[in-house]
Amino acid sequence: MNDMKSKLKGMTLLSLLSLGGCVNMEKPPQVPALTLAELRSELSQSEQRLQTAMEQQQKQYAQQQHLLVQLNTDVTKMKESVKHVDHKLASLPTEPPKPLPIPAAKCPAPDQGHTIDGKLLVGEAEWIWVDAANDAFQARVDTGATTSSISAQEITIFERNGKNWVRFFLSHQEMDDKIQIEAPLVRHVRVRQASADDLDRRPVVRLAVRIGDMTEKAEFTLKDRSDMTFPVLLGREFLKDIAVVDVAREYIQPKPKLKDVK
């Protein structure tokens, strides 16, 4: 019995020894030791990183201090503004002020026959004084016509002192006699008649005329208007910037007389 136990112990020990021989025992790798120079370099880099981090923290702190100072200044100004507003509110009357009566502005009345801005007021028909004829004639005011026109017959162009002049006779159905007029020739214009396709070449003269209290030198084309109601037609070129037309009225301006012409 003792022999058998001894054999079993021997076999167990042999098995353990066999198993122990098969196990691979690995050792951890050895880290090489740092040299003194490497250790100093590592410490220097760590010191630089700490220094940079500390400088950044100091910069952020300085910015925060500046913002805090600015915020305190703004708060102080705001408090002063609030005090100023409170002082004004306290000085206001408890009752609203009564509105002051505003006197109605009186606009000066325009002169007789003029608009408020001083322009001459004319109707659809007016009396016009022609200096060269030494007489007054009825004139049709036509804003649809560009140029003015005066009735002329027997038109003759001649030369005087080296310049072209025009001689014509002003005649109309309501006139007993013809009136001879001479005036410098300004130019010729071509006018298309509504009833014809051809262009009519007409001379243009400049005449001194008067309506109401206004005296102007205006250009007139010469045309026989003896079969028309008015011997004179006033167009836009004469009226612009100086007169306002009220087509619903006639003869707003008084008929000029010789004693009224200066």
Side-chain angles (χ1 to χ4, degrees), residues 1-13:
M1 190 66 176
N2 290 332
D3 292 338
M4 185 175 292
K5 290 180 179 180
S6 299
K7 289 179 180 181
L8 288 173
K9 290 181 179 180
M11 292 175 66
T12 302
L13 181 60

Side-chain angles (χ1 to χ4, degrees), residues 52-112:
T52 301
M54 185 174 63
E55 290 176 355
Q56 291 178 351
Q57 291 292 334
Q58 290 177 349
K59 185 177 180 179
Q60 292 177 358
Y61 176 75
Q63 291 177 349
Q64 291 175 354
Q65 289 294 327
H66 177 72
L67 291 176
L68 184 60
V69 172
Q70 184 65 37
L71 183 60
N72 289 331
T73 302
D74 293 342
V75 171
T76 302
K77 291 181 178 180
M78 186 177 295
K79 289 181 179 178
E80 293 294 330
S81 299
V82 171
K83 289 181 180 179
H84 185 65
V85 173
D86 289 340
H87 179 71
K88 283 189 173 183
L89 292 175
S91 61
L92 291 177
T94 56
E95 296 182 358
K98 296 180 179 180
L100 298 176
I102 300 176
K106 295 183 179 180
C107 298
D111 295 335
Q112 183 68 26

Side-chain angles (χ1 to χ4, degrees), residues 122-126 139-149 225 232-239 245 247:
V122 297
E124 190 177 19
E126 291 292 340
R140 162 82 184 282
V141 178
D142 186 1
T143 57
T146 303
T147 58
S148 301
S149 176
R225 299 177 56 89
V232 180
L233 181 140
L234 298 178
R236 292 194 305 272
E237 291 295 330
F238 176 79
L239 299 169
V245 181
V247 296

Side-chain angles (χ1 to χ4, degrees), residues 118-156:
K119 291 184 178 180
L120 193 69
L121 185 62
V122 297
E124 190 177 19
E126 291 292 340
W127 284 99
I128 183 170
W129 178 273
V130 181
D131 280 355
N134 200 28
D135 202 352
F137 306 91
Q138 289 177 306
R140 162 82 184 282
V141 178
D142 186 1
T143 57
T146 303
T147 58
S148 301
S149 176
I150 191 168
S151 183
Q153 295 178 348
E154 302 178 33
I155 300 172
T156 303

